[in-house]
Amino acid sequence: MKRLSVLPQQCLLLMTCLLMALEAVPIDIDKTKVKAEGHVEGEKVENPDTGLYYDEYLRQVIDVLETDKHFREKLQTADIEEIKSGKLSRELDLVSHHVRTRLDELKRQEVARLRMLIKAKMDSVQDTGIDHQALLKQFEHLNHQNPDTFEPKDLDMLIKAATSDLENYDKTRHEEFKKYEMMKEHERREYLKTLDEEKRKREESKFEEMKKKHGDHPKVHHPGSKDQLKEVWEEADGLDPNEFDPKTFFKLHDVNNDGFLDEQELEALFTKELEKVYDPKNEEDDMVEMEEERLRMREHVMNEVDINKDRLVTLEEFLRATEKKEFLEPDSWETLDQQQLFTEDELKEFENHISQQEDELRKKAEELQKQKEELQRQHDQLQAQKQELQQVVKQMEQKKLQQGNPPAGPGGELKIQPPGEHKAGDAPQHPAGGDQPLPPGHVQEPAVRTDQVHP
């Protein structure tokens, strides 16, 4: 069964085959010990991150598909064109109901995740009218028109999206590395501007000294050449250089025994060469540059050896490459420190772009500061009004007390009853003829009849 690596450096079959990842063992480990240890059966190997924004969804789909016996059998006989053309995707109709149900659930979760991302992005720009269906079109790794079930079209779209995205991965890495180098130079020059002449000269002298020290390293063999591979054979594998055999070398470094050297296995071959140039303990050595150098070496070997451009090296392709003149008499290999990574014009354009970004950020900061000041002004104004109202109420209370009127309650009622006054309904009523006794000395007046007429 073909088993391909799910790696950021790989692009075509590594994702499209939807298989378990390889475990790449560093080249400087004794291979006899590696083989003796082996892998524990059923042990799950952690796959490196692909760098794709839908990496987790991709991994989950792979894991679920691998549980279906029929689909695994089809993968064993599938070739590259069947996978790329979408023929393999149609086999999804034959997988078990349990697998399809699980895939449906994964797709619904991914759609929900994408919608949350869209909402968060729209919220950040305060856009309230969100058309999720329209915005989902930007994601090409699933069929957004059917958000509920995982169909063959979804598998086909996932394969093609991963293939395309990973094909552009190396290009993107090169571009990011170039920006990284230009930013380093930009920051160095900006720092020099802050120094006086004497300190600036010392800093420039130190910089040139470090460059010279970094460039003073042993000769780096041409990647993929006989000299380079023999050095691995001797120093990393501990074998007699006089007994170097390309076929044995291939099988020794095909770590997972799948019949291919994938990109991770190839990159492991360059560790010894890179150690000649880069040491993490040295101030002058940049480990970011080391990884870029590794990437360049791998790309070069792939271009020279990988005949069918499937990003995998077969034994036949490897042996054929060892018969070429370039394998025996290669050109010298130029490391990054021997190359011009960017021109002055490119650096100037990059700095202009940074300046524009800084201006935009400055304007936004100024706008935010103005908004903050305006909010503070409104807050202070409200506080002043509140204090003024509180003062007025206090003065009114004092004035009422001075006039002999008790302060009013919340509803306007008097808090203290003056002597002799009663609330309505509280005064004692003694109707005439009542049973209440009269006070001493009081004579009850006869009641006046309204029906009597007086002359």
Side-chain angles (χ1 to χ4, degrees):
M1 179 178 181
K2 301 175 183 177
R3 305 180 67 190
L4 308 178
S5 293
V6 183
L7 298 171
Q9 299 86 354
Q10 298 177 328
C11 77
L12 192 54
L13 288 180
L14 48 88
M15 286 303 174
T16 57
C17 282
L18 301 175
L19 298 173
M20 297 175 65
L22 296 173
E23 181 185 29
V25 179
I27 195 65
D28 53 350
I29 293 179
D30 189 336
K31 291 306 176 79
T32 58
K33 294 181 180 179
V34 172
K35 290 184 178 181
E37 292 172 0
H39 297 301
V40 178
E41 186 175 355
E43 180 183 7
K44 187 174 180 60
V45 179
E46 289 296 328
N47 303 331
D49 196 317
T50 63
L52 302 176
Y53 67 89
Y54 49 91
D55 175 79
E56 184 176 358
Y57 174 64
L58 180 62
R59 292 171 185 273
Q60 290 173 335
V61 170
I62 293 172
D63 290 341
V64 172
L65 287 173
E66 286 177 347
T67 63
D68 187 84
K69 181 180 179 182
H70 169 78
F71 200 86
R72 282 203 313 271
E73 291 175 350
K74 288 296 180 181
L75 279 174
Q76 292 178 10
T77 57
D79 58 27
I80 302 171
E81 292 305 319
E82 286 179 329
I83 296 171
K84 292 175 64 177
S85 65
K87 183 177 179 180
L88 182 65
S89 301
R90 293 192 286 272
E91 297 296 330
L92 188 66
D93 290 329
L94 303 178
V95 301
S96 66
H97 175 71
H98 172 73
V99 170
R100 289 297 294 270
T101 301
R102 179 60 182 140
L103 290 172
D104 293 346
E105 181 182 350
L106 288 177
K107 182 179 179 180
R108 288 192 292 269
Q109 291 174 355
E110 177 69 358
V111 171
R113 183 184 73 89
L114 296 177
R115 284 175 173 166
M116 288 181 62
L117 290 176
I118 292 172
K119 184 179 185 302
K121 183 177 181 180
M122 294 299 103
D123 288 346
S124 67
V125 295
Q126 297 181 348
D127 189 344
T128 55
I130 302 176
D131 185 354
H132 287 95
Q133 198 65 17
L135 292 174
L136 280 171
K137 292 181 181 179
Q138 63 185 299
F139 304 112
E140 299 180 352
H141 64 287
L142 49 70
N143 179 17
H144 61 87
Q145 293 179 341
N146 175 16
D148 299 317
T149 58
F150 191 98
E151 304 295 336
K153 184 176 181 179
D154 289 289
L155 181 57
D156 187 43
M157 293 180 69
L158 184 60
I159 290 173
K160 291 179 178 178
T163 300
S164 176
D165 292 341
L166 290 169
E167 281 178 343
N168 295 323
Y169 187 84
D170 286 347
K171 181 181 178 181
T172 302
R173 280 186 58 181
H174 287 310
E175 292 174 351
E176 292 301 317
F177 174 74
K178 187 174 182 179
K179 291 179 182 178
Y180 168 79
E181 289 293 322
M182 289 192 290
M183 179 59 78
K184 276 175 53 178
E185 179 62 17
H186 168 71
E187 291 177 346
R188 188 185 75 84
R189 295 185 183 186
E190 289 298 309
Y191 173 67
L192 292 176
K193 292 178 183 179
T194 65
L195 305 177
D196 57 39
E197 184 175 357
E198 183 180 353
K199 290 183 178 179
R200 185 163 54 250
K201 287 182 179 180
R202 286 203 303 265
E203 194 67 28
E204 287 281 16
S205 176
K206 180 182 177 182
F207 176 72
E208 293 299 327
E209 182 181 345
M210 289 178 62
K211 281 180 61 178
K212 182 178 180 181
K213 187 177 179 181
H214 174 70
D216 185 17
H217 53 72
K219 177 184 177 182
V220 176
H221 294 301
H222 195 97
S225 65
K226 184 176 182 179
D227 290 338
Q228 190 258 314
L229 298 184
K230 281 183 68 176
E231 189 174 57
V232 174
W233 174 277
E234 180 180 5
E235 297 187 12
D237 301 336
L239 300 176
D240 187 346
N242 297 321
E243 297 179 359
F244 175 76
D245 176 62
K247 186 174 181 179
T248 303
F249 183 92
F250 180 94
K251 293 183 177 181
L252 187 62
H253 294 280
D254 177 17
V255 178
N256 64 330
N257 298 318
D258 65 349
F260 300 97
L261 291 181
D262 62 38
E263 294 179 344
Q264 188 182 20
E265 290 166 333
L266 279 177
E267 288 184 1
L269 299 178
F270 311 133
T271 299
K272 286 296 178 183
E273 298 303 314
L274 294 169
E275 288 176 349
K276 297 176 182 178
V277 186
Y278 299 95
D279 186 343
K281 299 178 182 178
N282 296 336
E283 182 183 3
E284 67 274 8
D285 297 337
D286 189 335
M287 295 300 103
V288 175
E289 293 179 356
M290 184 186 76
E291 291 308 315
E292 173 68 11
E293 192 79 71
R294 189 192 302 274
L295 173 60
R296 290 174 64 248
M297 288 179 172
R298 185 255 294 164
E299 285 183 321
H300 172 76
V301 172
M302 275 294 185
N303 290 333
E304 294 291 322
V305 180
D306 182 21
I307 298 174
N308 63 354
K309 305 304 177 185
D310 63 354
R311 307 292 289 246
L312 296 166
V313 176
T314 64
L315 175 60
E316 181 182 357
E317 289 173 329
F318 184 78
L319 294 178
R320 188 175 300 180
T322 62
E323 298 171 358
K324 296 181 180 179
K325 180 181 178 182
E326 291 80 2
F327 179 75
L328 300 174
E329 302 175 7
D331 297 329
S332 60
W333 178 258
E334 290 187 353
T335 54
L336 286 173
D337 56 281
Q338 298 172 310
Q339 300 181 34
Q340 183 180 13
L341 302 177
F342 52 84
T343 65
E344 282 296 322
D345 288 340
E346 288 175 328
L347 179 59
K348 185 176 180 180
E349 183 180 354
F350 178 74
E351 290 178 327
N352 289 336
H353 179 65
I354 292 177
S355 179
Q356 291 175 0
Q357 289 182 324
E358 290 176 346
D359 289 340
E360 291 176 0
L361 290 174
R362 191 179 300 109
K363 289 178 181 179
K364 289 182 179 179
E366 291 174 356
E367 291 176 2
L368 290 173
Q369 182 62 29
K370 289 179 180 179
Q371 292 177 8
K372 179 181 177 182
E373 292 173 355
E374 176 62 20
L375 289 173
Q376 185 64 44
R377 186 190 67 78
Q378 294 177 4
H379 173 74
D380 294 342
Q381 186 177 8
L382 290 172
Q383 285 294 108
Q385 292 176 355
K386 179 181 177 181
Q387 292 176 1
E388 184 178 350
L389 289 172
Q390 289 175 342
Q391 186 66 24
V392 169
V393 171
K394 185 177 180 180
Q395 291 174 356
M396 291 176 65
E397 297 290 344
Q398 292 176 350
K399 188 174 181 181
K400 287 181 179 180
L401 289 173
Q402 292 173 358
Q403 293 175 352
N405 295 328
E413 72 278 4
L414 296 178
K415 292 183 178 179
I416 303 174
Q417 292 286 340
E421 294 187 9
H422 302 278
K423 291 183 181 179
D426 292 343
Q429 297 180 1
H430 305 297
D435 296 333
Q436 295 293 335
L438 296 174
H442 181 82
V443 179
Q444 181 176 357
E445 293 290 336
V448 179
R449 293 176 55 126
T450 57
D451 59 339
Q452 289 181 351
V453 179
H454 299 278

